[in-house]
Amino acid sequence: MTVESDPLEADRALKARHRDMWALGDYPAVAAEIIPDLGAVLVDACGVGRGHRVLDVAAGSGNAAIPAALAGASVVASDLTPELLEAGRVLAARRGAEVEWRQGDAEALPYADGEFDTVLSCVGVMFAPHHQAAADELIRVCRPGGTIGLLNWTPEGFIGQMFKAMKPYAPPPPPGAQPPPLWGSEDHVRALLGEAVTDVTVRRQTVTIDRFGSPGAFVDYFKANYGPTVAVYRGIAGDPDRVAALDHALTELARGHLQGEEKAVMEWEYLLLTAHKRD
């Protein structure tokens, strides 16, 4: 049996590529410098408090896990990429937050049914390639009556449009994989969660980004630090024309979103959804 014909081996290879991609650049810097407060927004929306058992899925370096722990919850941060977990341990220790860091695949979480009061993910689970498998796991490990909370970039917002701009320069996705920004579509997420949840609340909000004074500053930063962008550029490094074309596409995208005369800012849109697992 060849690797290509073995679904389990193909999935292992796909997840290995995902681990490697998120280890590129410096995602902990992106989370800390660009969207430092986004995890706390989700934690607050989920009503996380003292004594709650919380799982942060695709936690990265703990953008949501650390605020949840500081709110008094008992928190497990799960991610596919060990390098991000290690960065999270350092950040948590620096902030005095007690978090359990465990490597895990969002599509096959190593936890018992109904183990957590709150299961959340901040711009994390959206990058799991098989959306229904990941959604089913979020539901499975949440206790009946517990909270599921998701914060994801929308397809129409800046990051969704960035992935659209990068798509022509990236390798084609494997069969069955779905685009990450679909998790920012209300209809898509409602369909994924289905009848397993109730009391769904959904809001579209934006986070103000004031880190980039020019389109070029944004492109340079993401080329150096954001794993998916780093990976795309590495894939076309031998073709200067394609590199120049992608530079132009991302520069023009940023130019269209930067606003303000005295201080340039961007508004990045996300979907914030909370729900309760049915009893």
Side-chain angles (χ1 to χ4, degrees):
M1 181 178 292
T2 65
V3 171
E4 289 77 10
S5 64
D6 183 338
L8 289 177
E9 287 299 326
D11 187 65
R12 290 190 191 101
L14 174 60
K15 299 302 170 55
R17 291 195 295 273
H18 273 241
R19 281 197 304 273
D20 292 344
M21 178 182 72
W22 286 106
L24 295 173
D26 190 350
Y27 184 73
V30 176
E33 296 172 1
I34 309 303
I35 51 170
D37 301 322
L38 215 52
V41 170
L42 178 59
V43 168
D44 182 65
C46 291
V48 171
R50 189 165 301 280
H52 293 180
R53 177 76 167 156
V54 175
L55 175 64
D56 184 4
V57 178
S61 51
N63 208 21
I66 292 172
L70 293 174
S74 172
V75 182
V76 177
S78 177
D79 198 274
L80 196 62
T81 304
E83 291 87 346
L84 299 184
L85 297 175
E86 186 55 39
R89 288 188 185 95
V90 174
L91 291 170
R94 189 179 300 158
R95 296 184 62 185
E98 293 188 12
V99 177
E100 180 182 350
W101 303 90
R102 293 183 60 185
Q103 188 174 4
D105 181 351
E107 297 177 8
L109 293 168
Y111 311 109
D113 295 358
E115 187 172 341
F116 297 94
D117 300 305
T118 301
V119 180
L120 51 79
S121 185
C122 180
V123 296
V125 75
M126 66 183 292
F127 294 100
H130 307 109
H131 294 189
Q132 191 62 63
D136 289 347
E137 285 293 271
L138 298 176
I139 295 164
R140 181 185 66 79
V141 301
C142 186
R143 68 165 174 81
T147 301
I148 295 171
L150 302 167
L151 191 157
N152 295 309
W153 304 120
T154 65
E156 303 83 5
F158 180 80
I159 296 296
Q161 290 299 300
M162 184 190 75
F163 275 93
K164 183 178 179 181
M166 293 193 303
K167 183 178 179 180
Y169 304 91
Q178 294 176 283
L182 279 178
W183 277 90
S185 164
E186 179 180 348
D187 289 345
H188 182 70
V189 181
R190 283 182 178 272
L192 291 174
L193 300 177
E195 296 300 316
V197 300
T198 186
D199 302 325
V200 178
T201 63
V202 181
R203 301 196 299 272
R204 281 178 178 254
Q205 299 181 172
T206 61
V207 56
T208 301
I209 308 299
D210 60 4
R211 176 68 168 70
F212 308 113
S214 69
F218 160 76
V219 175
D220 290 343
Y221 186 91
F222 265 60
K223 285 174 70 172
N225 294 291
Y226 191 61
T229 307
V230 176
V232 170
Y233 272 99
R234 285 194 177 187
I236 61 173
D239 189 336
D241 289 341
R242 299 194 79 203
V243 170
L246 180 54
D247 282 345
H248 177 75
L250 294 179
T251 298
E252 290 306 303
L253 176 66
R255 193 186 313 280
H257 282 258
L258 278 169
Q259 51 188 305
E261 294 182 3
E262 293 187 5
K263 188 172 185 179
V265 299
M266 290 191 275
E267 299 291 336
W268 293 1
E269 186 183 59
Y270 59 85
L271 186 82
L272 178 63
L273 181 146
T274 60
H276 292 130
K277 181 175 175 179
R278 287 190 185 275
D279 293 323

